[in-house]
């Protein structure tokens, strides 16, 4: 029997993924206060803000989960700095929501706030059906769930990241260590950091500058250069 090219493809793939989970605060309370059409407008503005930030940093909008937004950085397209992109997107969302909140306060009398959690970890991407879309693939692993749990620890309009993500972005952002947290459904305690803002650092060389070794040796070469400079 002839095996088709599509059948030869691996049905599952291991990937490192950075997952961003954004959630609107007090959505239930808002749904009680507002007319459904007004609430729909607010939700739409919130989702548009999240979508714009995610696309700006080339992440993938995986799903809208009610008032939650799930995004992947590292699949289907991977970048060397996916963790940094996810955190930048998170900070962008917070800033956008602060702007939108001023409008919702004036128009509807309600304040709009979000919490964002980010985690980086290994996942397995498995096929659900024969189509070639991300919706046809299942992200297997605790990474998305852990991002959602980390989100629940955040204060209004803040971005929290796991220790795994922090290791990849250390130095690129001003942050605060919040210690280890025991999260529901997670057996091991998770170190969590609050991201305050982007730093002025632009490269890993700047981050590790204090750890670099000084230049040593080359006395012969330096001596020759000095003699030639003197002769010149």
């Amino acid at each position: 029997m002839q095996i088709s090219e599509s059948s030869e493809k691996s049905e599952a793939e291991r990937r490192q993924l950075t997952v961003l989970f954004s959630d609107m605060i007090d959505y239930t309370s808002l749904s009680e206060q507002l007319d459904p059409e007004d609430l729909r407008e607010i939700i739409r503005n919130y989702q548009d803000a999240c979508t714009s930030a995610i696309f700006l940093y080339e992440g993938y909008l995986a799903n809208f989960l009610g008032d939650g937004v799930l995004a992947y950085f590292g699949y289907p397209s991977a970048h060397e700095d996916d963790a940094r992109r996810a955190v930048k997107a998170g900070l962008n969302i917070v800033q956008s929501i602060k702007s939108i909140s001023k409008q919702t306060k004036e128009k509807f009398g309600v304040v709009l706030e979000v919490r964002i959690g980010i985690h980086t970890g290994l996942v397995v991407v498995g096929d659900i059906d024969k189509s070639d879309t991300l919706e046809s693939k299942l992200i297997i692993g605790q990474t998305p769930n852990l991002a959602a749990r980390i989100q629940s620890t955040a204060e209004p309009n803040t971005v929290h990241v796991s220790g795994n993500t922090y290791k990849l972005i250390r130095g690129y952002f001003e942050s605060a260590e919040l210690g280890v947290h025991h999260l529901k459904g997670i057996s091991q305690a998770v170190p969590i950091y609050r991201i305050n803002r982007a730093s002025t650092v632009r490269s890993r060389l700047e981050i590790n500058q204090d750890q670099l070794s000084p230049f040593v040796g080359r006395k012969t070469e330096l001596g020759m250069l000095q003699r030639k400079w003197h002769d010149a």
Side-chain angles (χ1 to χ4, degrees):
M1 182 178 68
Q2 185 178 4
I3 301 177
S4 66
E5 183 180 351
S6 60
S7 299
E8 292 176 346
K9 293 181 180 179
S10 174
E11 293 184 356
E13 178 184 3
R14 290 175 65 89
R15 297 289 291 262
Q16 175 165 284
L17 201 66
T18 297
V19 175
L20 178 152
F21 190 88
S22 174
D23 189 60
M24 187 186 298
I25 296 176
D26 288 337
Y27 173 76
T28 303
S29 176
L30 290 177
S31 65
E32 292 177 350
Q33 297 177 50
L34 298 173
D35 179 86
E37 289 188 0
D38 295 338
L39 181 62
R40 178 179 178 275
E41 180 180 335
I42 291 176
I43 290 291
R44 189 169 185 175
N45 290 338
Y46 160 68
Q47 291 178 344
D48 286 346
C50 292
T51 301
S52 296
I54 292 162
F55 287 172
L56 177 63
Y57 294 102
E58 300 183 27
Y60 187 90
L61 179 59
N63 207 350
F64 290 127
L65 306 170
D67 59 317
V69 177
L70 180 67
Y72 301 146
F73 291 81
Y75 191 89
S77 298
H79 306 85
E80 182 180 358
D81 58 344
D82 277 316
R84 286 169 57 195
R85 289 169 182 262
V87 175
K88 286 180 178 180
L91 293 174
N92 188 303
I93 290 171
V94 168
Q95 289 305 313
S96 296
I97 295 305
K98 286 180 179 179
S99 234
I100 294 173
S101 183
K102 294 179 181 178
Q103 302 171 17
T104 60
K105 180 68 174 177
E106 294 175 0
K107 190 172 181 179
F108 305 112
V110 296
V111 175
L112 185 61
E113 295 176 314
V114 294
R115 294 189 182 97
I116 295 174
I118 299 173
H119 175 60
T120 304
L122 287 175
V123 300
V124 172
V125 183
D127 292 330
I128 298 175
D129 56 42
K130 300 296 183 181
S131 62
D132 194 26
T133 63
L134 187 59
E135 288 81 0
S136 71
K137 299 181 182 297
L138 178 64
I139 302 296
I140 301 172
Q142 72 167 1
T143 301
N145 182 52
L146 192 45
R149 296 300 186 195
I150 291 170
Q151 169 273 138
S152 67
T153 70
E155 298 172 354
N157 288 337
T158 59
V159 178
H160 281 190
V161 305
S162 68
N164 284 12
T165 301
Y166 180 76
K167 290 176 184 176
L168 299 173
I169 63 160
R170 181 184 62 83
Y172 288 105
F173 301 90
E174 295 180 16
S175 58
E177 184 177 358
L178 303 178
V180 295
H181 289 242
H182 295 275
L183 305 176
K184 183 179 179 181
I186 308 299
S187 59
Q188 296 183 337
V190 179
I192 293 179
Y193 297 79
R194 183 181 66 243
I195 305 300
N196 297 324
R197 63 186 65 85
S199 69
T200 58
V201 169
R202 292 293 176 266
S203 69
R204 289 232 170 257
L205 188 62
E206 291 182 59
I207 295 173
N208 299 312
Q209 195 167 13
D210 59 340
Q211 301 176 16
L212 298 177
S213 300
F215 285 109
V216 296
R218 302 283 182 173
K219 290 183 179 180
T220 301
E221 289 81 358
L222 286 173
M224 182 185 69
L225 287 173
Q226 289 173 348
R227 289 194 301 273
K228 294 298 183 184
W229 175 249
H230 179 74
D231 292 343

